[in-house]
Amino acid sequence: MPLDVAGAALGAAFGEGFAVLHDTVKDVVSKARMFKPILKRLASTLDRLVPTVNEIKRLSEQLELPERETKRLMEQMEEGAKLVSKCLKIRWWNYVFKVKYSPKLEELDKEIFRFCQLDLQALCTRNGLRTLETVNSINKKMDSFRGVETPRGLGGVSGPQDLTVGLDMPIKELKTLLLKEEVKLLLLTAPGGCGKTTLVKMLCQDKEIKGIFEDNILFVNVSKTPNVKVIVQNLFNYKDMQPIFQIQSDEDAIDQLPQLLNHIRPNPILLILDDVWHGSESLPEKFKFDIPNYKILVTSRTAFPRFEFTYHLEPLNDENAMTLFRHSASLKEGSSYIPPEEDIKKIVRGCAGFPLVLKVIGGSLCRQKAEVWHSRLMNWSDGQFFFNSDTELLDNLQKSLEFPDHKVNIKNCFMDLGSFPEDQRIPATTLIDMWAELYELDEDGIHAIAILEELTNRNLASLVMARKDASEVKSYYNEDFVTQHDILRELAMHQSSQESIGQRSRLIINISGNNLPKWWTEQEQQLINARLLSISTDELFSSSWCNIQGPKVEVLVLNFHTKNYTLPEFVGKMYNLKVLIVSNFGVFHSKISNFQLLESLPNLKRIRLEKVLISSFCKTLVLLKSLKKISLFMCHTGKAFENCTIQVSDALPNLMEINIDYCNDLEELHVGLCDIVHLKKLSITNCHKLFALPKEIGKLVNLEVLRLRSCTDLSELPDSIRTLHKLSILDISDCLSIMKLPKHIGEMCNLKELNMKGCLRLRTQFPESIMDLKQLKLVICDEERAKLWDPIKEFLSNLEVLVSEKDINLNWLPK
């Protein structure tokens, strides 16, 4: 019998057996005087269990109740019903039968109570942990699966989030062409900003396509500088496979890909290579194999003549273009200003049917006064805005970057987004760190998020707020990120490059192989005046640097793909450097050399390391007097902090904030970190193997914020946190293994906010000292934990308990 059918049958039978026993006891309890006390107790037990049993019947398929345990209880309930009926027939004076049947009734009551108190709770815990195991499995896939997506509902390639128009016919035509037997490789082409990726994502959500290819739709962002090794390794990682031999070259990658494709057969396979650039037209053919029911769909701005089958996506017609523009500009009844229809048509004609341009131009005019509309029209010649090249497209998009003087920082922030590689998520916290120093925004990120919201409203970027609900603890942005269309990224870089190299305030350098820019090699000491310097290299770069003098650089962004990376020597002379961001976008964790250069930087306040071996940082740990914040994302920590050249607290004497996120090998927090007495914020999130905190954490007497969310193996909080008298925010949400709060938690006299949603095993009554938390204002939890707070609210009159809203999405998973 299939498991789901068996579960349903057991659930129904269990409920029926319970109902018979319940009805029998209720009928007999008032008539059998000899057994009245026992039967009343049994009736009370059964009455309390009615809601639970009804829930078991409804959810039996999901609970997967073990047949042996359930059947044993069902048999006892059947025998119990017969026993209770016999009790009705026994005369009140017959004490022999009373002695015989009373223990049996007592045992029945205990058995039912035991099953529901112990077995059923264990099953619920098991199912919760199984759910966690599934989420962790997805998590591990997505940790490594940075450039590959799969169209499986919310966890993969989701459909377009905004209004889409004019794509019904193209999707039908594209699908018809793709499904033809003779079509093995299909090119979808159109200029940038026409909606190629949007169309493909809609295709991934098409019922017929999903029915044919099921889980074998693989979506790959190729981008301008494709890395075949990374693409293939990520495909293997997604399917929980490893290649037979370690991938050393592009040839190795292509040679081993058939192993994966044959493994996921016989179901048809659709590989989507999105955004293949001119010069990379040979790439799709490398992925071609003689495998039945295997198809490749390519999107590109270039109509490569070498491809036999091509679909040309046309710009929107006038009607659809008008609809999209009106939506983007919010032209509806109640708007403060609606321009004349002819003016609207004039602007729409100038956008040439390009969805991206319509959305961006419309967003820039949204809720603007009449003068802004008139000014925009005056700047454009009547009806002569049509463009065919990306250069003309960028020139037209520049019109959307007109900000009033008091919002000049918004334009600067937009241009800063060009500092990061294409098709990669930009962590919101990275931007918060940059902008706090460049533009003196608040360190909590309130103003930075407001700027990102405005850029999103203008369709210049997309801010994704992950795992948020109305009751979320404020100022937590570790899981939020920004994405940007390639054209808009190019616009940001285009705007930043209007001045000569030496005079730019923002210098963005992209290096392919060892081909350094000509201007860099022409002078032995290239002087730049940039405040923000971004250098991106690929996996072929050999770390051979020329010299740069950057005395004004305050933010340095280093993006790379190699297993070994050397910090440039010129970093040691950037004496005004305040923020260092080191991001590895390769497959493997990277070893970094030359960290000792940082000792000479007197103003360095913030460091962010992504996918780095922390041992390489600690082996050359030097005194960083000014460092206030360090963030580790997806790093390999190992025993790094135990092997430092000097004590962590001596090297980082003024550190105030530590963020450790998705460091999957972290099992214990190093004791030495607890000697950093100035620390105010400690955030350890999504570190699923972390099982304990050191008791020495109580030495962090200046700690104000402690976040331990989604540390699923963490079983308890050390009682020493009682000494954290300045702690105002404690976040243990989704810590599934925590079963109790510390006995002396009430001594945390300044605690104001406690987030404990998703703590599924926290079911016992709280310690008595919790009533001493007189400053506690806000508790965030789920419904089951909220009930535990009901009696406590009588003593803490200012306490608000918010039940968190369920937000079922996987945006928070790293790409």
Side-chain angles (χ1 to χ4, degrees), residues 86-152:
K86 289 181 181 179
C87 292
L88 184 60
K89 301 176 183 178
I90 298 172
R91 301 291 184 179
W92 64 269
W93 42 263
N94 195 337
Y95 283 91
V96 175
F97 281 92
K98 181 177 182 180
V99 172
K100 178 181 178 181
Y101 288 147
S102 292
K104 293 183 178 181
L105 290 171
E106 292 274 8
E107 183 60 28
L108 176 62
D109 181 63
K110 290 178 181 177
E111 185 64 19
I112 294 173
F113 189 83
R114 186 199 65 79
F115 177 83
C116 294
Q117 285 292 306
L118 299 178
D119 294 15
L120 197 55
Q121 286 195 20
L123 290 170
C124 291
T125 302
R126 181 205 66 189
N127 288 333
L129 293 175
R130 280 184 178 177
T131 302
L132 166 66
E133 184 180 32
T134 302
V135 171
N136 283 347
S137 175
I138 297 172
N139 192 1
K140 289 176 182 177
K141 289 180 184 178
M142 295 300 287
D143 279 353
S144 58
F145 203 53
R146 306 182 65 126
V148 184
E149 299 177 84
T150 57
R152 296 193 297 173

Side-chain angles (χ1 to χ4, degrees), residues 583-613:
S583 300
N584 168 24
F585 293 95
V587 174
F588 305 102
H589 289 88
S590 183
K591 179 181 178 181
I592 311 295
S593 305
N594 257 6
F595 268 123
Q596 67 271 15
L597 295 172
L598 306 183
E599 186 174 20
S600 62
L601 306 178
N603 296 301
L604 185 59
K605 298 180 182 179
R606 304 162 189 264
I607 295 177
R608 177 183 172 89
L609 304 177
E610 181 170 340
K611 218 169 187 181
V612 166
L613 294 171

